[in-house]
Amino acid sequence: MLKKFIIILITSILFIGCKESKVKGLITEKAMVVSAKKEASKVGSDILQKGGNAYDAMIATHFALAVVYPVAGNIGGGGFMVYRDKNGKKGALDFREKAPITAYKDMYLDSLGNVIKNKSVLGAHAVGIPGSVAGVFEVYKKFGSLPFKELIQPAIDLAKNGFTITRKQADDLNNATDRFRKVNNYKTIFDKEWKAGDLLIQNELAKTLERIRDFGKDGFYKGKTADFLVNYISELGGIITHEDLEKYVAIWRKPIEFSYKDYQITSMTLPASGGICLAQILKSIEPFDISKIEHNSTKYIQLLTEAEKRSYADRAHYLGDIDFINVPIDSLTATSYINKRMETFSWDKATPSSEISHGKILGYESDETTHYSIVDQFGNAVSVTTTLNTGYGSKVLVKGAGFFLNNEMDDFSSKPGTPNVYGLVGSKANSIVPEKRMLSSMTPTIVEKDGKLFMVVGTPGGSTIITSVLQNIINVVDYNMGMQEAVNQPRFHHQWLPDVIRMEPHSFSDATKKELEHLGYSILERNSLIIGRVDAILVLPDGKLEGGADPRGDDTAVGF
Ligand code: GLY
């Protein structure tokens, strides 16, 4: 898989600089779904073919991913959706997980106040109250057009009849076997040596999906499924109760909206940090004529890195669940504030992260996820990022119900200044409080030009989500790339702490890396490292759609 990806990257690099991009994604006339798995994209596209809208396709794709992409597709996790309807009205839905009612600030610390290794990552204590099923029903209530049963049935069929797993999926499952065994008190269906082409049948998951089909939201948050979940969590020593499940609601929120050059960008608001950070970073670089700077050159990496450092420092200090804390969103995204933050930027040398803190706000009152993008034949667009957090979440597979539960509690700041699984640090703003939502980096985004739909974009990748979405927007807007070409480009990432530029391996020249090191930057490349798996759709000048399905995974565009 890595070899295939490197060949595609090199091919893409060779084509940059040519006037006509030869790297093209799937082009369709009317509608498209791009997701992490071909089966799920096809389920969504079939729903559109039947006359369903993008929201119907969202529901069908979401459930299908829960079956065919168990590493991150889910009903036991949560996520965010940004939409733009055919009339240009935009909105956002938050179906992020919540802390259990009996959660408390120091629940991951030992008696000496140190973080207990893995308690927020593996097993029953890592689990937040799942939001995906509530999210899907909110979408259906507001926008659904086809009968709900028709939307969930393809996922039930895939779970019952099975699907063949890919090489990458076999590798992912085999890598997680030890942790499945460590966490669960029974032998799960995933506990075997997997190879590409094996059939995965999930009968218990099929039955859970049937209960959701027959009883709606209550088929998950009440009754048999809830009993399975609560009883198993209790067997494993966790703290989730029936009351936690019954109280969960998804929330419609006002998205973050801002302009970058001639483009209007709509992205997710808190508890997802994506929209705010994307606005901060794009506004930091806006005064520079990016298109005159060579793509992925030393100067380009330097400029983005310095903007990213400053934004992630603010993220760590200011951002958390706006239902619980006051966050000065307007001040943090104000051009005057951002220009001031960039005053210390110099082309001559790196600004060490130790010299960067969060900015001062005047009048302050206060690596596994998945993304799918959909555009329908009516002109509606949805951008959804959803997750269990790390691969297979907490690794808890609900006994009797056949689905994985998230380990989203690790996205809280267990102890101020102590990094989470993504190396992100946080402050009091993101501390654990009962029923609070943990801070996320998810960045489902929609871009418009001249008031018309231009791009739907998003990605998994933990802390790297924001910078991957950023680079794809810049690739298209400033470097005039097509969607697939933009998605294929090598990516890099800086998140303030740790003070390193992470780079995809074998993708950046030795000369560039040497120059960056000379300027004071530390570079981290790991052989297995990929940054994000972007799935995006671009509206071409003739109105057709171009898909960008990330070759780093099994991602596929399907449409008509
Ligand atoms: N679980 C990764 C994120 O929400 O940022």
PDB file of all heavy atoms in Angstrom, residues 96 369 387 389 408 411 422 440-442, ligand 1:
ATOM      1  N   ARG A  96     -20.938  15.051  18.316  1.00  0.00           N
ATOM      2  CA  ARG A  96     -19.731  14.677  19.051  1.00  0.00           C
ATOM      3  C   ARG A  96     -20.112  13.904  20.320  1.00  0.00           C
ATOM      4  O   ARG A  96     -21.141  14.187  20.936  1.00  0.00           O
ATOM      5  CB  ARG A  96     -19.004  15.973  19.437  1.00  0.00           C
ATOM      6  CG  ARG A  96     -17.718  15.804  20.229  1.00  0.00           C
ATOM      7  CD  ARG A  96     -16.623  15.226  19.402  1.00  0.00           C
ATOM      8  NE  ARG A  96     -15.309  15.485  19.964  1.00  0.00           N
ATOM      9  CZ  ARG A  96     -14.213  14.845  19.542  1.00  0.00           C
ATOM     10  NH1 ARG A  96     -14.285  13.949  18.582  1.00  0.00           N
ATOM     11  NH2 ARG A  96     -13.036  15.128  20.066  1.00  0.00           N
ATOM     12  N   THR A 369     -10.003   8.454  11.963  1.00  0.00           N
ATOM     13  CA  THR A 369     -11.273   9.103  11.808  1.00  0.00           C
ATOM     14  C   THR A 369     -11.619   8.840  10.359  1.00  0.00           C
ATOM     15  O   THR A 369     -10.824   8.251   9.635  1.00  0.00           O
ATOM     16  CB  THR A 369     -11.060  10.605  12.129  1.00  0.00           C
ATOM     17  OG1 THR A 369     -10.685  10.697  13.497  1.00  0.00           O
ATOM     18  CG2 THR A 369     -12.251  11.473  11.860  1.00  0.00           C
ATOM     19  N   THR A 387     -15.850   9.624  13.672  1.00  0.00           N
ATOM     20  CA  THR A 387     -14.716   8.897  14.230  1.00  0.00           C
ATOM     21  C   THR A 387     -15.056   8.055  15.443  1.00  0.00           C
ATOM     22  O   THR A 387     -16.064   8.280  16.111  1.00  0.00           O
ATOM     23  CB  THR A 387     -13.610   9.904  14.628  1.00  0.00           C
ATOM     24  OG1 THR A 387     -12.416   9.201  14.881  1.00  0.00           O
ATOM     25  CG2 THR A 387     -13.997  10.710  15.844  1.00  0.00           C
ATOM     26  N   ASN A 389     -12.212   7.879  17.216  1.00  0.00           N
ATOM     27  CA  ASN A 389     -10.923   8.439  17.631  1.00  0.00           C
ATOM     28  C   ASN A 389      -9.812   7.586  17.041  1.00  0.00           C
ATOM     29  O   ASN A 389      -9.659   7.563  15.841  1.00  0.00           O
ATOM     30  CB  ASN A 389     -10.807   8.604  19.151  1.00  0.00           C
ATOM     31  CG  ASN A 389      -9.626   9.504  19.499  1.00  0.00           C
ATOM     32  OD1 ASN A 389      -9.139  10.236  18.653  1.00  0.00           O
ATOM     33  ND2 ASN A 389      -9.155   9.449  20.728  1.00  0.00           N
ATOM     34  N   GLU A 408     -12.975   8.455  22.693  1.00  0.00           N
ATOM     35  CA  GLU A 408     -12.925   9.910  22.512  1.00  0.00           C
ATOM     36  C   GLU A 408     -12.573  10.659  23.789  1.00  0.00           C
ATOM     37  O   GLU A 408     -12.196  11.832  23.739  1.00  0.00           O
ATOM     38  CB  GLU A 408     -14.296  10.385  22.000  1.00  0.00           C
ATOM     39  CG  GLU A 408     -14.227  11.436  20.936  1.00  0.00           C
ATOM     40  CD  GLU A 408     -13.726  10.898  19.613  1.00  0.00           C
ATOM     41  OE1 GLU A 408     -14.417  10.068  19.005  1.00  0.00           O
ATOM     42  OE2 GLU A 408     -12.638  11.317  19.194  1.00  0.00           O
ATOM     43  N   ASP A 411      -9.552  12.822  23.940  1.00  0.00           N
ATOM     44  CA  ASP A 411      -9.475  14.159  23.337  1.00  0.00           C
ATOM     45  C   ASP A 411      -9.675  15.274  24.375  1.00  0.00           C
ATOM     46  O   ASP A 411      -9.479  16.445  24.075  1.00  0.00           O
ATOM     47  CB  ASP A 411     -10.498  14.307  22.207  1.00  0.00           C
ATOM     48  CG  ASP A 411      -9.951  13.809  20.872  1.00  0.00           C
ATOM     49  OD1 ASP A 411      -8.738  13.553  20.787  1.00  0.00           O
ATOM     50  OD2 ASP A 411     -10.731  13.670  19.918  1.00  0.00           O
ATOM     51  N   TYR A 422      -2.353  12.263  20.323  1.00  0.00           N
ATOM     52  CA  TYR A 422      -1.866  12.998  19.145  1.00  0.00           C
ATOM     53  C   TYR A 422      -0.758  13.992  19.492  1.00  0.00           C
ATOM     54  O   TYR A 422      -0.370  14.799  18.654  1.00  0.00           O
ATOM     55  CB  TYR A 422      -3.024  13.751  18.478  1.00  0.00           C
ATOM     56  CG  TYR A 422      -4.123  12.831  18.018  1.00  0.00           C
ATOM     57  CD1 TYR A 422      -5.371  12.847  18.635  1.00  0.00           C
ATOM     58  CD2 TYR A 422      -3.904  11.922  16.990  1.00  0.00           C
ATOM     59  CE1 TYR A 422      -6.376  11.977  18.235  1.00  0.00           C
ATOM     60  CE2 TYR A 422      -4.896  11.051  16.592  1.00  0.00           C
ATOM     61  CZ  TYR A 422      -6.128  11.081  17.215  1.00  0.00           C
ATOM     62  OH  TYR A 422      -7.109  10.215  16.822  1.00  0.00           O
ATOM     63  N   SER A 440     -12.251  18.720  19.495  1.00  0.00           N
ATOM     64  CA  SER A 440     -11.923  17.916  18.322  1.00  0.00           C
ATOM     65  C   SER A 440     -11.118  18.753  17.326  1.00  0.00           C
ATOM     66  O   SER A 440     -11.145  19.980  17.362  1.00  0.00           O
ATOM     67  CB  SER A 440     -13.228  17.471  17.656  1.00  0.00           C
ATOM     68  OG  SER A 440     -12.980  16.915  16.392  1.00  0.00           O
ATOM     69  N   SER A 441     -10.417  18.058  16.432  1.00  0.00           N
ATOM     70  CA  SER A 441      -9.735  18.751  15.330  1.00  0.00           C
ATOM     71  C   SER A 441     -10.501  18.603  14.022  1.00  0.00           C
ATOM     72  O   SER A 441     -10.036  19.050  12.966  1.00  0.00           O
ATOM     73  CB  SER A 441      -8.328  18.171  15.121  1.00  0.00           C
ATOM     74  OG  SER A 441      -7.556  18.356  16.261  1.00  0.00           O
ATOM     75  N   MET A 442     -11.660  17.960  14.081  1.00  0.00           N
ATOM     76  CA  MET A 442     -12.358  17.667  12.821  1.00  0.00           C
ATOM     77  C   MET A 442     -12.727  18.953  12.084  1.00  0.00           C
ATOM     78  O   MET A 442     -13.098  19.945  12.698  1.00  0.00           O
ATOM     79  CB  MET A 442     -13.564  16.785  13.094  1.00  0.00           C
ATOM     80  CG  MET A 442     -13.134  15.366  13.448  1.00  0.00           C
ATOM     81  SD  MET A 442     -14.492  14.214  13.528  1.00  0.00           S
ATOM     82  CE  MET A 442     -14.704  14.066  15.281  1.00  0.00           C
TER      83      MET A 442
HETATM   84  N1  GLY B   1     -10.619  12.265  17.668  1.00  0.00           N
HETATM   85  C1  GLY B   1      -9.924  13.178  16.876  1.00  0.00           C
HETATM   86  C2  GLY B   1     -10.554  14.513  16.848  1.00  0.00           C
HETATM   87  O1  GLY B   1     -11.742  14.628  17.070  1.00  0.00           O
HETATM   88  O2  GLY B   1      -9.884  15.479  16.649  1.00  0.00           O
END
